[in-house]
Amino acid sequence: MLAPSFRRRRWMASTITLLLFALFVFWAWIEESRLGDATFLTGSTVLVGIVLLILLGVRRRLPVLPLGSVSVWTQIHLYLGFFTTGAYLIHVPVVLGNGWLEGGLSLVFIAVTVSGFYGIYASRRLPKRLTAVEGQHRFDRLGWHRGQIAETARCLLDDLQEPSAHPVLGQFYQDYLNPFFGSSPTLAYVLVPSGVRRRRLLNGLRELNRYLEREGRDTAGRFAALVRRRDDLDYQFALQLRLRLWLVVHSTLSIALLVGGIVHGVIAWRFTS
Amino acid sequence: MLRENETVSLGPGELFGEVAAMYRSPRTATVIAETEATLLEIRWQGLRILRRDKGFADTLEAHYRKHWLPVHLREIPLLRHLPESSLARVVEATQLRSFGRMEWNAGYRRTRELPVEQQIESEPVVASEGRIPTDLIIVRSGFARLSQQYGASHRTTAYLGKGHVFGLEELSCNALSVKANLTRTLRQSLRAVGFLDALFIPAEVFAEEILPHVRRSELPAAAADLMIQSGSDRSRSGDRRRRERNGIRPGDWNDLPSPTGQQFQPTGLLEFIVQKRLNNGRQAMVIDLHRCTRCDDCVKACASVHDGNPRFVRQGFTHERLQFVQACMQCTDPVCMIGCPTGAIARDEETGVVEIYEPICVGCGTCAASCPYENIRMSEVFDSQGRGYRDVQTDKPITKATKCDLCSRQPSGPACASACPHDALVRIDLSESEPLQKWLDRRS
Ligand code: SF4
């Protein structure tokens, strides 16, 4: 059978989620209109939703089992996440609960939801940005590539024959290029990658051209190419790290939410029964 | 069972399997001993040496022509409905010709780096654009590139693989419009990519013995129109009924997705695939970089089903948003199998997976060196307690060849594809354009 296109799949899944959510709202409304308490229904739905959402993490760790592809699980996870957020909004009287347990719990829920939405954004946008830069490097090899670039830069300077170029390029290398090639990207760059460093270094190298002859200019051009390569590498590092970190944050918070949710559920159940 | 299949009887001194052995293609026949029989097995290396002898080469060809050529011609959808007398004439007139080097992998690493125009120039020309077609060309094994002159160079328009035909449109038009005295020349050039083995059916034999038995729907549009004009449409209901009675379904032509070549919409992708010879892959690993979050879950999944040692690394040729990962592609022409001294690397007949039987692998590395895509690695072997085996004399670690086995023993299929959370990775047949085209369309 031909798998549906992504657009069609999105449309179908959204419709089903909306329908199920409408049914759920209707059920809660009936419960309320019978003068019953819908909180227990909505609360347990949220808790079951959280448990099911966490199962994706379990599935990812058991790739051998024939339980369907992880991409199908991810799709279910995504739409179940939307559903559970809706169920949560119906469950709580105010978005941010009062009392330390409820307040804390609602904060964690909001954090998980926000990180989940960020995850959708990041997993759709960042891969495109990563693909747009030159070279596809593996995260575990980035350090090695950095070392290679630093080494090549050192060799370039060592191989320079032109006597007049030595002091000019040597000075620039020592003051700017060596610290750049020899260190990891700064936290500021990792958080908000920008082209400022790259532009500054490239402009600096360009300005040196008037002090250089042919070979020196050639070497300066090669340094510029290395600066570009290194900057691309750092950009890859920043984005790949972001893609990895959000997942760690999202899953850690999810576990905390599950534990808190169970505690809250037990307490609520004890007090209502 | 014998009654349902075409059968041929062989006696003392006769050969079988020589075509599969020489051209690294899967066997096309099952051989059953009717009585007690003693067989002599000659490995392909021996066969190649023997073929240097003119007499032996002629005997081989005569044998092939007599026993197997009719069977192979019948497998081609276009010739399926030929009456026996026509088939006999086609067999008699068909020429067998090869182009390029069978060991194409030897020069592949150099040629894949050449600019496209230079690579096209370096390929042996089988038929040239602008010439009058003299033969219908059918690919028996290997690959070919179709190209058209564009500015100062050639632009790839499609690639051909086993069973594809070349020159059908031009030959049919010429045969059908003979009264109008309009001779069509070839619209494209045909070149061997690496190695090509083809059957050549002369134009007059095609016109007299084949074309009258071809249905309009089986012809390219231009030739089909001419067939209507000339009133020689063969797709009459009587014809159809007779064929269906003989157990031939009307849609049988569909078993080759495109009878005249594999065509992708974007020329760049097509040229990239041919340039890197990725069209050899039956189960290539392709990643959509616009969806891949670089999480490496695919690699981890592979490691988890192979005792912690992944059979691939997530790297490989990239073309725009596609990455063709360095994992065994289970090639149509598995050149890695050439030269294995123990026969440890072989294609599984049922699954089509090229597998390495570790117990008889002596770790010589011939397969790893032969794989043009560098998709076989030599890895250390460990005992059940995780201690590496060492050579007693040299104390060097013992290595054996490892490669992707497509998780053929896992019920869930390839772990890499099922572990990808973002639908970014697929195992796909690149010997045809359709699967990749559909996969791309799905995500556009
Ligand atoms: S599992 Fe999918 S998304 Fe993750 S690295 Fe592999 S192909 Fe990319």
Side-chain angles (χ1 to χ4, degrees):
Chain A
M1 198 187 72
L2 202 65
S5 70
F6 284 2
R7 191 172 300 155
R8 194 175 155 77
R9 184 176 76 179
R10 206 157 38 233
W11 188 85
M12 277 167 20
S14 309
T15 312
I16 292 170
T17 311
L18 274 176
L19 274 177
L20 287 178
F21 188 66
L23 274 178
F24 171 73
V25 173
F26 184 60
W27 187 8
W29 176 76
I30 288 181
E31 200 64 18
E32 287 281 351
S33 55
R34 279 187 191 151
L35 298 182
D37 188 4
T39 327
F40 191 74
L41 167 76
T42 51
S44 40
T45 307
V46 174
L47 192 59
V48 171
I50 293 169
V51 172
L52 293 176
L53 286 166
I54 283 179
L55 283 182
L56 171 69
V58 181
R59 170 70 185 98
R60 283 182 66 212
R61 276 162 193 83
L62 301 168
V64 189
L65 299 182
L67 298 171
S69 70
V70 178
S71 65
V72 172
W73 280 70
T74 309
Q75 288 298 310
I76 295 172
H77 178 90
L78 220 135
Y79 290 96
L80 189 61
F82 288 133
F83 180 92
T84 312
T85 308
Y88 169 83
L89 291 176
I90 292 179
H91 175 66
V92 291
V94 279
V95 176
L96 209 59
N98 37 36
W100 65 268
L101 179 64
E102 275 73 18
L105 203 54
S106 48
L107 266 181
V108 178
F109 189 94
I110 291 166
V112 173
T113 311
V114 170
S115 65
F117 280 108
Y118 176 74
I120 299 175
Y121 164 81
S123 58
R124 297 289 175 270
R125 290 275 152 239
L126 301 193
K128 287 190 184 135
R129 282 163 62 182
L130 279 170
T131 312
V133 289
E134 187 76 11
Q136 297 302 319
H137 303 292
R138 276 158 42 210
F139 190 71
D140 55 325
R141 303 281 292 162
L142 290 174
W144 181 84
H145 286 298
R146 254 184 236 136
Q148 288 290 305
I149 292 174
E151 181 63 27
T152 315
R154 212 175 2 258
C155 293
L156 266 183
L157 194 67
D158 291 347
D159 294 347
L160 191 63
Q161 306 286 331
E162 195 177 287
S164 60
H166 254 289
V168 179
L169 283 175
Q171 189 68 38
F172 193 82
Y173 176 83
Q174 204 174 338
D175 293 349
Y176 305 106
L177 293 180
N178 193 31
F180 173 63
F181 290 135
S183 60
S184 305
T186 60
L187 183 64
Y189 182 90
V190 171
L191 292 177
V192 192
S194 77
V196 177
R197 270 177 343 164
R198 174 185 178 132
R199 268 196 302 278
R200 256 195 221 147
L201 287 168
L202 292 179
N203 283 341
L205 278 167
R206 209 171 300 127
E207 275 170 23
L208 294 186
N209 269 349
R210 65 195 174 105
Y211 307 113
L212 301 169
E213 289 176 75
R214 201 158 151 227
E215 194 204 346
R217 279 192 196 152
D218 195 39
T219 306
R222 287 181 201 200
F223 275 135
L226 288 178
V227 168
R228 278 188 215 102
R229 257 178 69 196
R230 169 58 203 261
D231 188 60
D232 284 349
L233 213 60
D234 288 351
Y235 186 68
Q236 293 249 355
F237 176 75
L239 295 196
Q240 291 199 38
L241 186 70
R242 208 185 285 177
L243 278 165
R244 275 155 204 252
L245 276 185
W246 88 260
L247 195 61
V248 174
V249 170
H250 185 65
S251 37
T252 314
L253 286 173
S254 302
I255 303 289
L257 181 65
L258 179 68
V259 175
I262 291 171
V263 172
H264 167 77
V266 170
I267 294 172
W269 180 66
R270 290 270 321 260
F271 279 99
T272 48
S273 59
Chain B
M1 192 181 108
L2 287 180
R3 238 173 281 131
E4 286 166 14
N5 292 290
E6 290 208 37
T7 53
V8 173
S9 281
L10 300 177
E14 291 192 291
L15 299 151
F16 63 85
E18 74 280 14
V19 177
M22 286 310 304
Y23 299 112
R24 298 188 289 268
S25 54
R27 291 190 196 284
T28 51
T30 304
V31 181
I32 299 164
E34 282 183 319
T35 59
E36 198 176 301
T38 307
L39 305 178
L40 174 69
E41 186 182 23
I42 305 174
R43 302 207 53 165
W44 73 268
Q45 293 93 334
L47 204 55
R48 200 171 58 166
I49 295 168
L50 287 172
R51 271 185 68 185
R52 287 184 202 147
D53 179 78
K54 172 99 173 56
F56 186 79
D58 290 346
T59 314
L60 265 189
E61 190 182 316
H63 177 266
Y64 173 76
R65 192 177 287 280
K66 182 171 165 215
H67 292 294
W68 298 112
L69 186 56
V71 178
H72 287 166
L73 288 174
R74 274 265 185 255
E75 280 167 4
I76 296 157
L78 203 61
L79 311 185
R80 227 173 237 178
H81 310 304
L82 288 199
E84 281 308 323
S85 56
S86 300
L87 186 70
R89 179 133 187 255
V90 175
V91 167
E92 196 188 323
T94 300
Q95 301 260 335
L96 319 174
R97 288 169 66 187
S98 299
F99 300 83
R101 278 183 68 190
M102 264 218 83
E103 292 82 12
W104 58 266
N105 50 320
Y108 161 77
R109 280 179 208 161
R110 183 182 51 79
T111 53
R112 82 174 177 210
E113 303 304 339
L114 292 176
V116 183
E117 65 280 9
Q118 282 183 30
Q119 195 188 33
I120 294 179
E121 277 305 308
S122 72
E123 291 164 354
V125 180
V126 181
S128 298
E129 182 185 350
R131 294 272 170 86
I132 293 177
T134 53
D135 302 89
L136 180 75
I137 301 173
I138 301 166
V139 178
R140 189 158 65 138
S141 73
F143 298 104
R145 181 201 300 267
L146 291 186
S147 65
Q148 266 174 341
Q149 186 79 38
Y150 190 66
S153 180
H154 271 251
R155 184 163 66 176
T156 308
T157 50
Y159 57 80
L160 306 188
K162 188 182 172 192
H164 289 131
V165 294
F166 173 79
L168 177 63
E169 180 173 334
E170 294 87 345
L171 284 174
S172 329
C173 289
N174 290 350
L176 292 166
S177 65
V178 83
K179 282 183 202 125
N181 206 13
L182 258 178
T183 308
R184 285 192 193 215
T185 53
L186 289 172
R187 292 189 307 129
Q188 304 172 90
S189 293
L190 181 73
R191 290 180 152 85
V193 181
F195 172 75
L196 179 77
D197 182 54
L199 304 175
F200 285 67
I201 302 175
E204 57 284 3
V205 176
F206 170 76
E208 285 162 23
E209 307 294 344
I210 298 176
L211 194 58
H213 305 283
V214 175
R215 286 188 301 166
R216 198 179 70 226
S217 58
E218 295 171 340
L219 287 175
D225 289 347
L226 280 175
M227 192 175 246
I228 297 175
Q229 287 163 25
S230 67
S232 53
D233 182 3
R234 300 287 307 168
S235 56
R236 292 179 309 232
S237 55
D239 253 14
R240 200 173 303 129
R241 271 200 299 278
R242 179 160 43 81
R243 285 182 200 129
E244 282 168 10
R245 220 178 19 247
N246 292 342
I248 299 158
R249 283 166 289 114
D252 277 356
W253 184 227
N254 294 337
D255 49 8
L256 279 180
S258 154
T260 49
Q262 304 300 345
Q263 205 154 1
F264 285 100
Q265 289 313 321
T267 313
L269 179 57
L270 178 67
E271 240 148 34
F272 179 84
I273 286 178
V274 182
Q275 173 93 355
K276 305 286 181 212
R277 218 77 55 84
L278 296 166
N279 49 335
N280 198 3
R282 312 287 317 231
Q283 289 286 338
M285 186 188 290
V286 180
I287 291 182
D288 178 358
L289 293 172
H290 279 187
R291 285 190 78 91
C292 170
T293 59
R294 282 68 166 171
C295 65
D296 275 331
D297 276 6
C298 46
V299 183
K300 287 178 212 149
C302 180
S304 72
V305 292
H306 294 107
D307 306 324
N309 295 310
R311 300 286 174 93
F312 73 98
V313 278
R314 196 175 41 75
Q315 65 184 30
F317 304 124
T318 49
H319 178 80
E320 292 170 0
R321 66 189 281 186
L322 298 182
Q323 182 171 46
F324 298 84
V325 181
Q326 275 189 300
C328 174
M329 308 193 288
Q330 321 297 336
C331 293
T332 308
D333 181 10
V335 281
C336 55
M337 281 165 35
I338 304 173
C340 172
T342 63
I345 183 163
R347 197 194 276 283
D348 186 290
E349 273 180 31
E350 266 172 37
T351 59
V353 175
V354 177
E355 287 194 90
I356 295 170
Y357 298 95
E358 205 210 275
I360 53 170
C361 169
V362 290
C364 66
T366 308
C367 55
S370 312
C371 173
Y373 312 99
E374 295 161 56
N375 289 348
I376 301 182
R377 284 178 193 87
M378 302 306 293
S379 312
E380 282 188 49
V381 271
F382 301 94
D383 65 12
S384 54
Q385 277 145 36
R387 291 170 305 195
Y389 285 105
R390 297 198 156 256
D391 189 306
V392 190
Q393 279 160 9
T394 61
D395 199 38
K396 284 194 178 150
I398 290 178
T399 58
K400 297 211 179 197
T402 57
K403 61 180 266 305
C404 164
D405 57 359
L406 222 58
C407 300
S408 53
R409 281 175 199 84
Q410 299 297 327
S412 55
C416 50
S418 67
C420 175
H422 300 290
D423 267 317
L425 186 152
V426 71
R427 300 308 295 253
I428 208 161
D429 186 356
L430 293 179
S431 67
E432 291 167 7
S433 67
E434 207 187 356
L436 187 60
Q437 192 66 62
K438 277 195 180 145
W439 190 70
L440 287 171
D441 287 348
R442 213 187 138 212
R443 51 198 55 231
S444 62

